[in-house]
Amino acid sequence: MRIKNALLNGQKVDIIIKDDIIEDVYPADDRSYELDRTLNANGMAVIPGLVNMHTHSPMTLFRGLADDIPLKQWLEENIWPAEKRLDEETVYHGARLAMLEMIQSGTTAFNDMYLWLDVIEKAAVEMGIRAYLSETCFDFFKPHVAEKCKQQIIKRFEQKPADSRINYLIGTHAIYTVSGDLLRWAADFAVRNNVFMHLHLAETQQEVADSVSNFGLTPVRYLHKLKVLNPKLIIAHVLYVDDEEIKMLADAGVSVVHNPASNMKLGSGAEFKFTEMKSVGIKIALGSDGCASSNNLDMVEVMKLAALLGKAWRKDPTVLTCNEILDAATVIPAEIFGIKTGVIAKGYKADLCLVNLQIPAFTPNINFVSNLVYAANGSCIDTVICDGKVLMKHRKVKNDEDIIAFVQKIKQNEN
């Protein structure tokens, strides 16, 4: 496949894709190739596919269900009861809707934590998106439940994913729902088996206060004591940490995901220490969180929120530049997972998006990355390619109307 006349770093280029790999990138010309197809990218820029590093995909089903209430009440009185009414079919359709929304806003890979992993995997294979999937694991400090969780994790990693674009992780929920014994065991399993572990941490002041009350330590110090901090750990939120804890995370090689939309919507906090973490070598990526707390999965919007929020609470417009934020949605996730995406160059995976420049957000196009991060939203994405396959062309995704109709029908039947 050839992408012709795409704007990259201010220059028009042609991109040759063979199978799932970028075979060549060169200044646009009229060379003829014996290729299966050509995508004309006149009036478009090309960017690496965006990566949503923390979400709960089937929670599209809860969009608008429990707005404008605190996290603890939101979770315990609204979300958990609603999840008890779910089944495999509804989760499958909710996951497909999430993947449709992600593709339409330029996301080619996502890091998910939820229930019914098998049906989410089925949806991801059908949609063609790159997926890092984990089953939410919580034992609520009950030893017999912890043993069930351990057996579930062992069983999961005894099987192979259904597609090369699918990867499994361990999805330990949080320190207030998972016992220290299970956290230790999961961390040891992750290191021994070279798999990643995904965890919510230090999301609210209440979580920190409860951690001190229950464990005698703040969340990061608690994990440090348990010997859970390691390079295979990816933690989401991380709003309440001090300099010593940041050093602990850096020394252990832990990766962090910033979720500005969810943090602001739930009133969890604003002062995410992006600069401090990055300065000591912590890899920081971006995530939307689930639609129940962020209400959409638009990573272009997430980039803007992350940049503006970081400037606002510091009262410093020089921090969190647009280029730095774009890296956090492309290059950094690839570095965390150790895959060759996030860069448009020969030998890298063909996970790409074409951005429509013929819209007001890119007029005038003085600084493309600035316009992408500060002016646009996900509707600027025209075409999406993942693993060398076209998932969306001219904003059309296969079966998109059916996917939306199925979820509408589910909600109508509930009413």
Side-chain angles (χ1 to χ4, degrees):
M1 178 168 60
R2 180 187 194 183
I3 299 173
K4 185 168 177 57
N5 291 328
L7 193 69
L8 175 64
N9 300 325
Q11 180 184 28
K12 280 194 173 184
V13 300
D14 288 357
I15 301 169
I16 305 300
I17 297 170
K18 185 175 181 180
D19 298 326
D20 60 338
I21 300 296
I22 298 172
E23 189 174 75
D24 202 2
V25 181
Y26 55 87
D29 62 21
D30 293 321
R31 278 184 260 177
S32 61
Y33 283 86
E34 293 296 324
L35 298 171
D36 57 347
R37 67 192 304 184
T38 295
L39 294 179
N40 191 332
N42 274 319
M44 299 184 200
V46 61
I47 62 170
L50 304 175
V51 182
N52 188 340
M53 279 293 285
H54 177 70
T55 192
H56 314 284
S57 58
M59 294 183 88
T60 50
L61 298 166
F62 305 142
R63 197 191 322 258
L65 171 68
D67 291 336
D68 308 324
I69 55 178
L71 174 61
K72 193 172 190 299
Q73 181 185 355
W74 171 85
L75 189 62
E76 295 179 0
E77 297 179 19
N78 294 272
I79 300 304
W80 284 348
E83 287 179 331
K84 289 180 180 177
R85 298 192 294 271
L86 294 176
D87 57 27
E88 287 191 357
E89 183 180 8
T90 54
V91 166
Y92 167 73
H93 290 298
R96 284 209 309 167
L97 178 64
M99 294 170 207
L100 171 62
E101 184 176 351
M102 286 190 275
I103 291 166
Q104 288 185 329
S105 50
T107 291
T108 54
F110 70 105
N111 182 24
D112 205 53
M113 181 196 293
Y114 209 64
L115 310 168
W116 287 286
L117 188 155
D118 290 331
V119 295
I120 299 173
E121 179 177 5
K122 177 186 174 185
V125 171
E126 291 173 357
M127 297 297 290
I129 194 167
R130 199 178 299 281
Y132 295 81
L133 306 178
S134 60
E135 287 152 313
T136 309
C137 172
F138 19 48
D139 63 2
F140 295 105
F141 302 88
K142 297 175 181 178
H144 71 284
V145 179
E147 286 305 311
K148 287 183 180 178
C149 288
K150 292 174 186 178
Q151 293 308 310
Q152 181 184 34
I153 291 168
I154 291 169
K155 184 178 179 182
R156 171 60 57 192
F157 286 93
E158 285 176 345
Q159 66 187 70
K160 284 189 67 175
D163 187 277
S164 63
R165 286 164 292 191
I166 307 297
N167 295 270
Y168 297 144
L169 293 81
I170 301 171
T172 41
H173 179 258
I175 62 171
Y176 52 87
T177 54
V178 181
S179 66
D181 170 67
L182 183 52
L183 287 169
R184 270 192 306 262
W185 182 91
D188 179 66
F189 183 96
V191 172
R192 284 189 292 106
N193 291 278
N194 193 32
V195 298
F196 286 93
M197 176 172 159
H198 191 185
L199 174 76
H200 302 82
L201 194 75
E203 184 174 358
T204 64
Q205 288 178 315
Q206 187 63 54
E207 180 188 336
V208 176
D210 289 346
S211 180
V212 172
S213 175
N214 295 329
F215 312 126
L217 295 166
T218 57
V220 172
R221 290 183 177 87
Y222 172 57
L223 294 186
H224 178 72
K225 181 182 178 182
L226 291 175
K227 294 183 170 54
V228 168
L229 303 180
N230 64 71
K232 307 308 293 186
L233 180 63
I234 301 170
I235 50 177
H237 299 293
V238 200
L239 286 168
Y240 297 98
V241 288
D242 58 32
D243 290 346
E244 184 181 46
E245 290 172 303
I246 289 173
K247 188 175 186 305
M248 288 177 180
L249 296 175
D251 289 347
V254 175
S255 300
V256 172
V257 185
H258 180 29
N259 305 274
S262 175
N263 293 342
M264 287 191 281
K265 171 91 177 322
L266 292 171
S268 301
E271 298 183 6
F272 179 78
K273 297 179 179 178
F274 194 112
T275 303
E276 290 86 347
M277 292 187 201
K278 184 180 177 183
S279 69
V280 293
I282 295 174
K283 290 183 173 65
I284 305 164
L286 302 178
S288 67
D289 213 336
C291 273
S293 62
S294 69
N295 292 64
N296 71 38
L297 302 170
D298 186 340
M299 286 299 295
V300 180
E301 184 177 288
V302 167
M303 288 194 290
K304 179 176 182 176
L305 292 175
L308 299 191
L309 181 62
K311 296 172 188 293
W313 76 261
R314 293 176 184 278
K315 300 180 177 61
D316 182 355
T318 69
V319 299
L320 275 71
T321 66
C322 55
N323 288 286
E324 186 176 26
I325 287 296
L326 180 58
D327 282 350
T330 55
V331 177
I332 302 302
E335 290 179 356
I336 290 170
F337 283 131
I339 58 172
K340 292 193 75 172
T341 62
V343 175
I344 301 173
K346 183 176 180 178
Y348 280 78
K349 288 277 190 181
D351 288 11
L352 308 170
C353 298
L354 297 180
V355 179
N356 181 8
L357 301 177
Q358 310 304 307
I359 59 175
F362 292 95
T363 308
N365 198 19
I366 296 168
N367 183 328
F368 168 74
V369 177
S370 172
N371 286 343
L372 179 67
V373 173
Y374 296 133
N377 58 43
S379 66
C380 73
I381 306 297
D382 177 89
T383 298
V384 172
I385 298 166
C386 179
D387 215 44
K389 299 174 180 63
V390 177
L391 306 187
M392 178 174 77
K393 183 178 180 181
H394 303 327
R395 298 209 50 78
K396 177 65 180 175
V397 179
K398 184 180 178 182
N399 298 326
D400 51 2
E401 293 178 0
D402 290 341
I403 291 167
I404 291 170
F406 269 113
V407 176
Q408 294 282 27
K409 185 177 180 181
I410 288 168
K411 301 316 286 185
Q412 287 167 2
N413 289 342
E414 286 180 359
N415 296 331

